[in-house]
Amino acid sequence: MKEIIDVMIPETAIQKRIDELAAEISIDYSGLTLTLICVLKGGVIFFADLSRKLKIDVEMDFIDVSSYDDGTESSGVVRIEKDLERPITGKHVLLVEDIIDTGKTLICLIRHLSAQRPESLKVCTLLDKPDRRIVDGIKPEYVGFTIADKFAIGYGLDYAQKYRQLPYIGVILETRD
Ligand code: IMP
Ligand code: MG
């Protein structure tokens, strides 16, 4: 199976936006240590690029959740596959996500992390698809790009585990045998 891909957000635009986000986050957390939490696997490329541009002290941890089957539809089940390795009680935490779609994954993560009573908890997502939102009151503090209701791939995002390594964000135009 071969998919035809169209570029939605080029590499240069992503990197420019990450520079802006990193500058904003560095000001907002100036003088503090920030615990950056990467939501695996989709968030990993964004997390790596964003973290390297921050001008503040950073600690890193990783969490893995599964919310999707191998296609493009949500299974509706959000499960924690791998939890944090260190406690976040009393820490300033920034959750780094690839994309917020229905909001089901994020609400589950926020509940899970809030239970540990961090000093603060904010969300930074590369992509936001507000038109698809099912869960009310989900508003990430830092958003890279707001996009239309299209299935995005690349720069961490996958379609059936493919395309995560692309340096740009794309959309699948058509599938050929
Ligand atoms: P939500 O729980 O519906 O908000 O979905 C969140 C998760 O579903 C994201 O962290 C992604 O892993 C995956 N997802 C949602 N939309 C897309 C997309 O357009 N492309 C790739 N993965 C997506
Ligand atoms: Mg994700």
Side-chain angles (χ1 to χ4, degrees):
M1 204 87 100
K2 181 110 185 73
E3 288 93 19
I4 311 293
I5 302 201
D6 194 19
V7 177
M8 188 202 293
I9 309 172
E11 184 177 358
T12 47
I14 297 173
Q15 294 304 328
K16 182 168 171 283
R17 186 71 189 114
I18 291 176
D19 285 347
E20 293 168 359
L21 286 171
E24 198 183 333
I25 293 166
S26 298
I27 289 169
D28 292 353
Y29 291 91
S30 161
L32 301 172
T33 297
L34 181 60
T35 301
L36 277 185
I37 298 181
C38 175
V39 184
L40 296 170
K41 307 178 187 113
V44 73
I45 312 270
F46 178 44
F47 181 86
D49 280 352
L50 178 73
S51 61
R52 283 181 291 178
K53 291 185 170 155
L54 294 175
K55 303 273 187 280
I56 47 173
D57 289 339
V58 160
E59 293 176 355
M60 296 180 177
D61 209 337
F62 301 83
I63 194 162
D64 189 8
V65 291
S66 66
S67 58
Y68 271 70
D69 290 321
D70 268 357
T72 60
E73 283 302 309
S74 171
S75 65
V77 180
V78 178
R79 197 173 53 209
I80 300 208
E81 304 282 2
K82 180 219 169 291
D83 210 340
L84 300 179
E85 279 167 16
R86 298 176 66 88
I88 53 164
T89 309
K91 299 206 174 224
H92 292 284
V93 174
L94 185 62
L95 194 60
V96 180
E97 262 281 21
D98 51 356
I99 186 164
I100 302 171
D101 189 32
T102 63
K104 285 186 201 167
T105 307
L106 190 58
I107 194 75
C108 161
L109 279 168
I110 288 173
R111 284 200 191 113
H112 179 71
L113 298 176
S114 301
Q116 280 201 40
R117 306 236 167 270
E119 177 70 28
S120 68
L121 175 59
K122 290 187 183 176
V123 176
C124 177
T125 186
L126 177 66
L127 303 176
D128 189 13
K129 280 201 277 196
D131 294 349
R132 292 259 307 167
R133 206 74 95 243
I134 290 172
V135 180
D136 285 339
I138 292 281
K139 256 200 129 328
E141 284 79 3
Y142 305 98
V143 175
F145 301 91
T146 299
I147 61 166
D149 179 11
K150 291 203 173 129
F151 195 79
I153 50 144
Y155 201 75
L157 293 138
D158 73 303
Y159 171 66
Q161 300 305 322
K162 257 170 91 177
Y163 302 119
R164 291 193 197 277
Q165 84 284 9
L166 297 179
Y168 55 86
I169 303 281
V171 277
I172 297 172
L173 285 183
E174 58 176 283
T175 305
R176 289 183 185 157
D177 287 328

